[in-house]
Amino acid sequence: GKKENCIFIQIEPNVILRSHSELVSESNPKVNEMLKHIQHDNLSPAVHPLFTKYTFVLDLTKSESELMAGMHPKTRYNIKVAQKHGVKVTEDNSDEAFETYLKLLQQTTKRQNFYAHDEKYHRMMWETLRIHTSKFILQSSYDKLTAHLLIANYPNPYPLTPTPLVAWILFAYKDVLYYPYGASSSEHRETMASNLMMWEAILFGKKLGLKKFDMWGSLGPNPNPNDPWYGFHRFKQGYGPDLIEFIGSYDLIINPILYQLYKIADKLRWAILKTIKRTA
């Protein structure tokens, strides 16, 4: 970090602090014990965490019938609605499919009014991590992080060309499937295509022989219904995953003086962005 003239290094360890059963209890001696392992003179809780410390994880070793039984009844119903509408989900790692993903992502961020990585970031991510075949490969290949693109299409009677409704980019690493990026169309919302996409993503992970599905973020054990992310939380929760808490985000400070200036600049930046959002 010093060689690269970094102000700080942010770390978000893949270490679980508490599982679902432990989250129901506010007092847990395990928490204080684990936090001792990250004490360091130059290490402090992140000023601006890149990722929430809570997430949902689904056990992919369960059978399809067990996974279905663990869902909320409304979620199972919505999956059937999408199937009755003829929505089809396929893996498509082509350049054309990625361009479709970018178009849907633009629609999604505008509709939901949230900030996302820019197009340059997504193109670099895809070119670096994409899998260049639609065929399933051996699990041993997932020692390297790979990205897969799934698209849900709606079969239009006319024109005959299907309409892409949902596009997700999934990561596979070791024995875990991750859902980091998703985008959807404003058209045919009644088809519940996103619900089918999540189910097909679960089946996709099982076909790859993976053991867990990290749904990439949640609000925590006591979510506020008024929170702007509550809809995403409830959507994922409907599939019956376990809620877990990671140890959190931390900044390893390399340049203390510039780090203090960074904290001020970060607060100003987000204040400006929130003002722009309210004005829009």
Side-chain angles (χ1 to χ4, degrees), residues 79 112 153 158 160 226 239 262:
I79 292 172
Q112 300 288 351
N153 287 299
Y158 184 83
L160 296 177
N226 295 321
Y239 292 85
Y262 159 79

Side-chain angles (χ1 to χ4, degrees), residues 150 168 170 177 196-205 213:
L150 269 59
W168 285 11
L170 303 174
L177 183 69
L196 181 60
M197 174 65 89
M198 179 67 87
W199 173 237
E200 290 293 341
I202 292 169
L203 297 180
F204 180 75
F213 183 17

Side-chain angles (χ1 to χ4, degrees), residues 6-146:
C6 294
I7 299 174
F8 67 96
I9 299 173
Q10 185 167 112
I11 60 172
E12 296 183 327
N14 188 28
V15 176
I16 295 176
L17 187 63
R18 291 185 288 188
S19 61
H20 178 75
S21 59
E22 296 166 327
L23 280 168
V24 297
S25 174
E26 290 297 328
S27 59
N28 191 327
K30 174 184 172 184
V31 174
N32 292 330
E33 184 63 29
M34 291 191 70
L35 290 177
K36 291 179 181 179
H37 295 288
I38 56 171
Q39 290 180 347
H40 187 283
D41 290 343
N42 294 338
L43 194 66
S44 65
V47 173
H48 182 72
L50 294 179
F51 188 68
T52 171
K53 65 190 299 186
Y54 298 102
T55 191
F56 282 124
V57 176
L58 188 67
D59 182 1
L60 295 180
T61 64
K62 293 181 179 180
S63 66
E64 290 185 29
S65 58
E66 288 176 321
L67 289 169
M68 271 287 182
M71 294 182 192
H72 189 281
K74 181 63 174 176
T75 300
R76 286 196 300 269
Y77 174 79
N78 287 344
I79 292 172
K80 292 178 181 178
V81 168
Q83 291 171 336
K84 287 182 178 179
H85 278 286
V87 177
K88 299 293 183 183
V89 177
T90 57
E91 181 188 8
D92 188 346
N93 300 311
S94 66
D95 293 336
E96 294 77 13
F98 180 70
E99 294 302 322
T100 296
Y101 163 77
L102 288 179
K103 290 179 182 178
L104 292 178
L105 182 64
Q106 186 178 34
Q107 291 182 35
T108 303
T109 53
K110 184 176 182 180
R111 183 178 66 250
Q112 300 288 351
N113 196 25
F114 66 78
Y115 295 104
H117 294 297
D118 60 18
E119 182 177 322
K120 179 182 178 181
Y121 170 89
H122 281 275
R123 289 190 183 280
M124 184 180 295
M125 175 273 297
W126 181 243
E127 286 304 315
T128 303
L129 302 176
R130 67 186 295 186
I131 190 76
H132 290 276
T133 175
S134 61
K135 297 180 180 179
F136 298 123
I137 56 180
L138 296 176
Q139 186 175 337
S140 60
S141 299
Y142 294 111
D143 287 341
K144 179 181 179 182
L145 181 66
T146 56

Side-chain angles (χ1 to χ4, degrees), residues 87 104 151-154 163-167 183-188 191 193:
V87 177
L104 292 178
I151 291 188
N153 287 299
Y154 177 70
T163 299
L165 298 182
V166 182
S184 61
S185 171
S186 301
E187 297 182 67
H188 301 294
T191 63

Side-chain angles (χ1 to χ4, degrees), residues 2 76 101 116 237 268:
K2 289 180 178 179
R76 286 196 300 269
Y101 163 77
Q237 190 177 37
L268 289 173

